[in-house]
Amino acid sequence: MGQAALDPRAILRALGHDAGVTAVTPVTGGWDTAIWRVERGDETFALRVFRPEQARVARREAAVMRAGVPGVPIPALHAEGSWEGRPALLIGWCAGKNLLDAARAEPARFWALARVY
C-alpha cells in the first residue's frame, strides 16, 4: 500500500492527535516509511507510518526517541500507535537535511556523515 492509499487524518485520529490539525502535507523521499508534515497551531510534527512488518523497527525507534542519545538531535516522540495494522509515530518536526540529501550535497563526506547519522 503506497502513501497515497493511506489516510493521514484517520491515522492521526487513531493516535489521538487529530484535534486542531490545520494542514497535512505528504513528504517525499522517505525510503521505508510514509511521512507527512502535520501542522497544528504553531506546532509542526512528522507523522511516520511504517509497513505492518516493520513493527519491531517502529518500537525500536520510539525507544531510542524516549531514551535520547547525548549530543544527537533526536525529535520528541508525541504519540506511538497503529492504524489498520501499520505502526505509526508522531514526532517533532526537525528542519534540515536527511542523510541522502546531505550526502548528495557533500559526496566526499559520505562516510563521515553516515557515522554521525
Side-chain angles (χ1 to χ4, degrees), residues 3 8 23-28 35-39 93:
Q3 184 165 344
V24 179
T25 310
V27 175
T28 59
I35 305 171
W36 289 269
R37 179 183 168 114
V38 177
E39 297 176 37
W93 183 262

Side-chain angles (χ1 to χ4, degrees), residues 34-86:
I35 305 171
W36 289 269
R37 179 183 168 114
V38 177
E39 297 176 37
R40 180 178 65 199
D42 62 351
E43 298 177 296
T44 305
F45 307 92
L47 174 63
R48 292 188 64 203
V49 181
F50 298 76
R51 296 184 310 274
E53 65 272 15
Q54 292 178 296
R56 193 170 130 221
V57 172
R59 285 191 304 271
R60 184 180 69 229
E61 288 194 21
V64 168
M65 288 179 201
R66 280 192 295 274
V69 177
V72 177
I74 297 176
L77 177 65
H78 294 275
E80 176 183 8
S82 66
W83 176 79
E84 295 190 3
R86 296 178 67 112

